[in-house]
Amino acid sequence: MMYRILIIEDEKPLARFLQLELGHEGYLVTLAHDGPGGLSLALEHEFDMILIDWMLPGMEGIEVCKKLRESKQIPILMLTARGMISERVNGLDAGADDYVVKPFAIEELIARIRAIQRRQADRSSDTYKLQDLVLDPVAHRVEREGQQIDLSVREYDLLKYFLENKGVVQTRESLLRHVWGFSFAGETNVVDVYIRYLRAKIDDSFETKLIHTVRGVGYVLRGSE
């Protein structure tokens, strides 16, 4: 089955250009040109990835992203002319998995799409376990004490990276690089925000806590001593 991408972009010449270029790469591309229309398509149909422009008529891309995250775990890549770090972080906080700053080279966009695809593709059928926590990459399922836990795409990626490196202390910079796929100098609390999200789902309701803060360094996933 072809990899299906929805592009929500109000600049019609750019949207058509992206549709042609990505179609040439083997992707099946659907277009929408405003926020409400794009949101409706995303909710009513199945796509493998969504590219959303930040500035859209009817509803800004960041609001589309937030609404999608209420019910969808599909990867989202933001297209934005907003190059400031704080604005990029706002997009990530809203639920975007990555971003490309306009103007961009089509080669960069395709590379980022493929990077997201690689993160989606679990190379191993083995389950990841830590005490009573289980992550099954084939079923894309997480359980603790036999209870299914629903995670967003970013929460799932973060937990999977922790499980792949359990017992190893991770700095915020390392998590940004390996889970979010980027790094920068400056202040951002995006890692801390998602750690809180993850703790609320896999730790708060259970006696044994698995995510631990290492003050002045970062975080580590480990079981009881």
Side-chain angles (χ1 to χ4, degrees), residues 104-120:
F104 54 81
I106 188 63
E107 292 84 1
E108 178 189 3
L109 178 63
I110 292 171
R112 289 185 179 271
I113 290 172
R114 288 175 176 161
I116 292 175
Q117 285 182 273
R118 287 194 297 272
R119 294 199 292 268
Q120 283 180 283

Side-chain angles (χ1 to χ4, degrees), residues 122-163:
D122 294 295
R123 299 179 181 274
S124 170
S125 61
D126 294 334
T127 58
Y128 298 88
K129 297 181 180 179
L130 178 62
Q131 296 189 174
D132 53 7
L133 175 68
V134 180
L135 184 150
D136 184 341
V138 175
H140 209 275
R141 182 183 178 92
V142 175
E143 294 182 352
R144 186 157 188 201
E145 293 185 358
Q147 303 176 35
Q148 182 172 346
I149 298 172
D150 294 323
L151 301 179
S152 69
V153 171
R154 185 64 71 199
E155 292 163 354
Y156 178 90
D157 289 345
L158 180 58
L159 178 59
K160 184 169 180 285
Y161 184 73
F162 270 131
L163 284 165

Side-chain angles (χ1 to χ4, degrees), residues 128-130 133 135 154-172 174-175 178-180 191-192 194-196 198-199 202-203 210-214 218-222:
Y128 298 88
K129 297 181 180 179
L130 178 62
L133 175 68
L135 184 150
R154 185 64 71 199
E155 292 163 354
Y156 178 90
D157 289 345
L158 180 58
L159 178 59
K160 184 169 180 285
Y161 184 73
F162 270 131
L163 284 165
E164 290 170 336
N165 299 275
K166 55 190 174 186
V168 179
V169 177
Q170 301 292 332
T171 65
R172 291 170 177 81
S174 175
L175 293 171
H178 290 99
V179 179
W180 277 263
V191 171
D192 306 281
Y194 273 87
I195 291 290
R196 288 200 299 272
L198 197 54
R199 275 176 165 157
I202 72 164
D203 266 354
L210 301 179
I211 301 175
H212 303 273
T213 300
V214 181
Y219 301 97
V220 61
L221 185 77
R222 63 168 179 256

